[in-house]
Amino acid sequence: MIGLVIVSHSAQLAEGVRELVEQVVQGGAAIAVAGGTDIPDAPIGTDPAKVAAAIESLLIRPEVSDVLVLMDLGSAIMSAEAAFDLLPEAMRSRVHLCEAPLVEGALAAAVRAKIGGSLAEVYAEARDALAPKIEQLASWQHLLPAAVPFVEAAPEQADRESVELTIVVPNQLGLHARPAARLVTLVAQYDARVTLTHDGRTVPATSLNRLVTLGVRQHDVLVVRASGPDASAVIEAIEALALDNFGDPIEVTEPTEIIAAAVSEEGDVVVGAPASEGVAVGPAFHLRAPAIELEEGVVADTAAERQRLREAVAAVMEQLRTLRAETTRRVGAAEAGIFDAQMLMIGDRDLLDAAEEAIELRRLDAASAWNLALRAVVARYRALDDPYLARRAEDVLDAGQRVLRHLAGVPADALLFDPPEPAILVATDLRPSDVARLPAGRVLGIITAEGGVTGHGAILARSLGIPAVTGVGAVALTIADGQIVGLDGGAGHVWLAPDAQTIEQLRQRRERWLTERSESRKRAQAPARLRSGETIEVAANINLPGELETALLNGAEGVGLFRTEFLYFEREAPPSEEEQLEIYRDAARRLDGRPLVIRTLDVGGDKPLPYLRQPHEPNPFLGQRGLRYCLDHPGLFRPQMRAILRAAADYPVRVMFPMVSRWEELVMVDALIDEICAELQAEGLPFDEDLQRGVMIETPSAVLIADHLARLVDFFSIGTNDLAQYIMAADRDNAAVASLVSAYQPAVLRAIRETVEAGRAAGIKVSLCGEMAGDPKATALLIGLGIDALSMSPAAIPLVKERIRRLDMAEAKRIAALTLEMSSAEEIEAYLSDVEQTELAAKRMESEP
């Protein structure tokens, strides 16, 4: 028999429905109710614990095979979803939520259940319960006002007509978090109401959580409808995004299933998912997040709780923006994309509305209300049939629990991973923010109970070069702190209790792996000299002082870009002059005579400062950014310039100004530096009055007046990331146009050539510090264009140096000349990839006996 659970905000209403149903069926129906709350001051509401108890009361009855749950509205749906998580695992597959109308659906379902209907029949009967009422009232339609005769629509009315688009989803992994986030971000830019329909369900395109939980897979049909002034424009943009595979790679080689379900054991070895190559052996240590103790209680001032919740969500949004920027700099923009999705997940209007409804109707405190709403959304994700999409529940939890920690006063990144010695990290799963914050040098490897190689934690582990095996199952949780374990991230093997012989074998394999990496780094210590004799300087881009050691190990010949934003974020006030001076001196000291190029504060755009009241800008990338921001905020700029000038008195420190677009900006900077030098001299403080100054060439105007700028500076550094964005007039964070933002665009390459020529004419050095610098296939092109130095992420240095050593200047110039004749970025990238592959094949043939 199929049991029924009635969930309502009102206990009396729930009991009334049960009484009505029982009178109609005259016994023989299994019904339980979960109505209202047990809070005297707030009886109207729903309680997941009561819903779970009602479900269990039916499932323990031997005659009940499955339970159908019917709900009235709002938080009743949310509580039913949350109750699912409270049930024993064995019961969950027997519980089904039904969207049928409460009264009519319960009556129809009960009658069908009494006569022995199957689950599918009872479910269908409940959903069709309104049909008789609709049919019976059809004759009353003549009482409705007469339809308005058709007249030709005025232009503003025509704009509100619905426009429709049908898409066959191309993505191999379906419409998962990142492509869905791109779609939501795109839609938000238009004045239009957009809905998406799949398999009979329709959701607003502005809700990431509802969009992902549609469960759209590859080759599924998605119907997009838009109305409003920008309806046609948004449909065209969505079509373009879909044709671009929603910004995803065309082919994904990683499996789409959750690997935890397929864990096996081979002898004494547990086999999970090979998430990140490398070998590790050593003591295990668990990653533990601080427990959040929530005591649900009634609040008097619901308005204050709603405000507290909104402030917490806003604060976490800012944390995620910082993490996104930090991760982009550390491992790349693609890997950091998950934080964009997380921001949309917790900023989802549906989620916030559900939490605020719980505050108002049940008078819950903000933390309890958010937890209730969060659990419901997570349950919705976990209920998806597609295992890959179901895994996105962990991303929602990651971001949502940050809000809970903020409300509970727990530090945002308070992770309990502090082993007495370097250890193998063990966790149930690894959230993106966990990996982004792992202490450098303390993690030998990673083992997780859940997850697969497509998980965002696994992606970041690979980017950081940490050996990792994911999805090994519950056995991971049996590992004790201090227990010696081993792993092979390339094969997906974990040794939970290796004997002495196995431990020794793993240590030897790890040594070989480390040796190979070390040999590559050793070769990188030598200068990057072309076969024709010319030397190209190769430096590192640094985001944090802690990366200096890695940069030097990888062969950096200095720091070509020392980003200073880390000094200003995640704090209540800007850093003092003395604090900055100590950090700059320490970095220069550790470089041991190698040059340190400090880029002045680059905020604005996607990098706002939390403690400054920066006005909202409709297009922040075209607003107050970089040098123009600093010149308008001397209170921030002067202390930084004083610290840089003082640090340069003892070390080879240089300064570089970002986002220069006018000659007058450099004139103003020179005047400010002259003032500061006079101040320092009057104070008797040492400084470098001949401080070398450079500018970032990253705006079209800077390219066009490069000959003028060159008269006022000592060097140029081309920032291809922003230069491509501004030349192509395409926001690199906008998924619909992201494919345009390529440094290989012919227009960008010509801008690089023009900048080099202006620098050469003025006799100043020209370097390049964008992502392009670390791409080996671009090396020959850049050298052929005349670039003097390259600055890149530390991990890319050994490979780029090897590439330089295989080049001849004449050949590089020939490659550059051919490239500049090509008409598209696709043609250029294909040609450069072919050149690189041909050279690699030749190198392999030379090394063979």
Side-chain angles (χ1 to χ4, degrees):
M1 173 180 284
I2 308 301
L4 303 177
V5 170
I6 310 299
V7 182
S8 171
H9 282 70
S10 166
Q12 289 179 319
L13 177 58
E15 287 293 346
V17 172
R18 174 161 64 179
E19 182 180 352
L20 176 62
V21 170
E22 288 179 342
Q23 286 182 6
V24 171
V25 299
Q26 294 293 307
I31 305 175
V33 298
T37 76
D38 293 329
I39 304 172
D41 295 334
I44 299 298
T46 53
D47 184 344
K50 293 184 73 171
V51 178
I55 294 170
E56 288 191 64
S57 72
L58 293 179
L59 288 177
I60 61 175
R61 293 167 58 171
E63 73 274 19
V64 174
S65 60
D66 291 88
V67 165
L68 203 63
V69 182
L70 296 101
M71 308 138 280
D72 53 12
L73 75 165
S75 67
I77 303 169
M78 184 172 63
S79 292
E81 291 177 318
F84 188 83
D85 271 354
L86 302 178
L87 293 171
E89 189 71 36
M91 288 186 174
R92 293 180 186 177
S93 62
R94 301 166 61 195
V95 179
H96 313 273
L97 307 186
C98 182
E99 74 276 26
L102 185 65
V103 178
E104 294 90 341
L107 278 169
V111 171
R112 190 66 184 178
K114 180 180 179 180
I115 61 176
S118 66
L119 173 64
E121 290 170 334
V122 173
Y123 187 84
E125 199 74 19
R127 294 185 69 185
D128 294 340
L130 280 180
K133 184 186 289 186
I134 293 171
E135 184 177 346
Q136 184 172 346
L137 293 178
S139 61
W140 289 78
Q141 297 304 306
H142 68 279
L143 297 179
L144 293 174
V148 178
F150 173 79
V151 293
E152 186 172 343
E156 62 269 22
Q157 292 173 318
D159 283 343
R160 287 192 282 271
E161 292 179 357
S162 178
V163 184
E164 186 172 301
L165 170 70
T166 300
I167 297 170
V168 178
V169 175
N171 300 57
Q172 190 167 335
L173 298 180
L175 213 55
H176 60 97
R178 277 184 283 192
R182 296 182 189 110
L183 178 57
V184 171
T185 303
L186 174 67
V187 169
Q189 299 173 35
Y190 293 86
D191 183 8
R193 180 180 180 273
V194 182
T195 62
L196 298 103
T197 301
H198 167 62
D199 198 22
R201 289 180 57 202
T202 299
V203 300
T206 51
S207 172
L208 179 68
N209 292 322
R210 293 177 70 178
L211 181 54
V212 175
T213 53
L214 272 177
V216 179
R217 303 182 184 184
Q218 187 181 35
H219 304 315
D220 280 357
V221 175
L222 192 64
V223 178
V224 186
R225 294 184 180 89
S227 60
D230 293 344
S232 296
V234 73
I235 286 291
E236 289 178 7
I238 293 171
E239 184 175 22
L241 180 63
L243 290 172
D244 190 38
N245 209 51
F246 287 94
D248 266 7
I250 297 298
E251 294 184 3
V252 181
T253 57
E254 296 139 333
T256 61
E257 65 275 9
I258 302 176
I259 307 298
V263 172
S264 62
E265 294 189 20
E266 297 179 0
D268 296 328
V269 180
V270 175
V271 182
S276 181
E277 288 189 359
V279 179
V281 61
F285 201 88
H286 284 260
L287 176 73
R288 295 184 178 88
I292 304 173
E293 300 293 337
L294 294 179
E295 292 186 9
E296 189 175 299
V298 177
V299 296
D301 190 347
T302 56
E305 286 301 294
R306 291 201 315 273
Q307 182 61 28
R308 198 162 73 89
L309 176 60
R310 291 172 184 173
E311 289 174 355
V313 171
V316 170
M317 287 285 202
E318 191 57 47
Q319 293 168 8
L320 291 171
R321 287 189 191 98
T322 302
L323 271 174
R324 178 188 62 185
E326 192 174 294
T327 305
T328 298
R329 292 191 293 266
R330 195 173 178 188
V331 297
E335 290 80 1
I338 182 54
F339 295 115
D340 288 311
Q342 286 189 336
M343 281 188 276
L344 289 169
M345 285 170 176
I346 66 166
D348 194 311
R349 189 67 248 177
D350 285 356
L351 177 59
L352 189 59
D353 285 349
E356 291 190 347
E357 181 182 301
I359 292 173
E360 283 297 330
L361 293 180
R362 298 185 56 183
R363 297 194 176 182
L364 292 180
D365 63 277
S368 298
W370 177 261
N371 189 42
L372 184 66
L374 179 65
R375 284 161 53 192
V377 173
V378 169
R380 204 179 303 151
Y381 273 85
R382 287 176 173 164
L384 292 172
D385 292 334
D386 188 311
Y388 181 83
L389 295 177
R391 289 293 303 152
R392 303 288 66 82
E394 304 311 312
D395 296 326
V396 183
L397 269 179
D398 180 15
Q401 287 178 346
R402 295 177 76 87
V403 177
L404 281 180
R405 288 198 290 274
H406 188 280
L407 289 167
V410 178
D413 296 298
L415 298 176
L416 305 181
F417 183 74
D418 187 21
E421 58 183 312
I424 292 175
L425 183 152
V426 180
T428 301
D429 200 359
L430 211 53
R431 306 169 303 176
S433 56
D434 295 339
V435 181
R437 299 288 192 176
L438 286 179
R442 304 292 290 172
V443 185
L444 299 174
I446 296 170
I447 300 171
T448 66
E450 300 176 3
V453 295
T454 55
H456 297 293
I459 292 170
L460 292 177
R462 287 195 293 275
S463 301
L464 295 173
I466 301 173
V469 178
T470 61
V472 301
V475 291
L477 306 182
T478 67
I479 300 173
D481 284 347
Q483 177 180 332
I484 301 298
V485 297
L487 69 91
D488 180 342
H493 292 172
V494 173
W495 290 261
L496 297 178
D499 56 27
Q501 182 179 359
T502 303
I503 291 173
E504 183 57 31
Q505 290 173 347
L506 288 171
R507 283 178 176 160
Q508 290 176 6
R509 290 175 58 193
R510 179 173 175 82
E511 285 301 317
R512 287 196 298 271
W513 173 63
L514 292 173
T515 298
E516 290 172 3
R517 191 166 69 173
S518 176
E519 288 298 323
S520 176
R521 287 175 168 176
K522 283 180 182 177
R523 291 192 296 271
Q525 297 303 314
R529 186 171 290 111
L530 279 74
R531 286 186 294 137
S532 48
E534 298 86 351
T535 299
I536 303 297
E537 181 184 320
V538 181
N541 297 338
I542 297 297
N543 308 297
L544 299 167
E547 297 173 11
L548 283 166
E549 182 179 352
T550 301
L552 294 176
L553 283 172
N554 281 296
E557 296 160 15
V559 170
L561 171 59
F562 187 72
R563 298 182 174 99
T564 56
E565 289 73 48
F566 74 92
L567 284 163
Y568 294 81
F569 288 112
E570 296 188 355
R571 56 190 300 155
E572 300 297 324
S576 67
E577 176 185 332
E578 295 301 323
E579 181 182 352
Q580 293 187 66
L581 175 61
E582 181 56 35
I583 288 172
Y584 300 153
R585 279 178 173 167
D586 180 64
R589 186 185 307 117
R590 290 159 68 182
L591 285 173
D592 194 24
R594 301 174 183 87
L596 172 67
V597 179
I598 300 174
R599 187 182 70 183
T600 56
L601 178 63
D602 186 12
V603 292
D606 61 340
K607 295 176 284 188
L609 289 178
Y611 46 81
L612 291 182
R613 293 184 178 179
Q614 295 171 253
H616 171 73
E617 296 180 294
N619 191 337
F621 283 103
L622 298 180
Q624 286 236 313
R625 287 197 65 192
L627 183 60
R628 63 181 69 158
Y629 182 90
C630 287
L631 287 171
D632 284 344
H633 295 80
L636 280 177
F637 195 32
R638 291 180 73 96
Q640 182 172 42
M641 281 308 310
R642 283 175 59 95
I644 293 171
L645 282 161
R646 292 172 64 186
D650 303 310
Y651 301 99
V653 170
R654 301 163 189 168
V655 68
M656 183 164 65
F657 305 111
M659 283 299 296
V660 172
S661 56
R662 295 183 300 145
W663 180 81
E664 295 90 336
E665 290 168 344
L666 291 183
V667 173
M668 288 187 280
V669 167
D670 282 347
L672 179 65
I673 291 176
D674 288 343
E675 288 179 20
I676 293 173
C677 288
E679 291 174 2
L680 294 172
Q681 188 171 21
E683 296 168 22
L685 296 173
F687 65 96
D688 181 7
E689 60 184 75
D690 296 319
L691 175 69
Q692 286 197 31
R693 307 166 198 183
V695 293
M696 296 279 290
I697 302 295
E698 48 192 345
T699 66
S701 63
V703 174
L704 294 173
I705 61 169
D707 55 338
H708 293 278
L709 299 178
R711 301 172 197 161
L712 296 178
V713 296
D714 301 293
F715 63 93
F716 285 157
S717 185
I718 303 173
T720 50
N721 300 348
D722 270 328
L723 183 61
Q725 172 175 241
Y726 292 126
I727 283 182
M728 300 308 297
D731 182 354
R732 63 186 181 187
D733 289 334
N734 183 337
V737 295
S739 60
L740 295 175
V741 189
S742 165
Y744 294 99
Q745 292 284 358
V748 179
L749 297 183
R750 294 184 182 209
I752 294 172
R753 181 187 61 185
E754 296 298 319
T755 303
V756 171
E757 290 178 354
R760 285 279 170 84
I764 66 172
K765 188 169 96 173
V766 181
S767 66
L768 188 140
C769 64
E771 290 297 319
M772 191 182 196
D775 186 349
K777 72 172 177 287
T779 306
L781 167 64
L782 295 176
I783 292 173
L785 288 172
I787 295 292
D788 301 300
L790 299 169
S791 190
M792 62 201 70
S793 65
I797 292 173
L799 197 58
V800 169
K801 280 194 167 185
E802 293 279 2
R803 180 81 174 92
I804 292 172
R805 295 186 188 114
R806 296 197 301 271
L807 286 171
D808 175 271
M809 182 60 79
E811 177 65 8
K813 288 182 177 180
R814 186 187 70 81
I815 291 170
L818 284 172
T819 301
L820 288 173
E821 294 299 317
M822 297 178 183
S823 304
S824 72
E826 292 76 15
E827 181 185 6
I828 290 169
E829 286 199 73
Y831 166 67
L832 294 176
S833 294
D834 287 344
V835 169
E836 184 188 17
Q837 292 305 314
T838 300
E839 289 190 6
L840 289 173
K843 181 187 176 184
R844 283 194 294 270
M845 290 179 65
E846 290 173 4
S847 63
E848 291 176 359

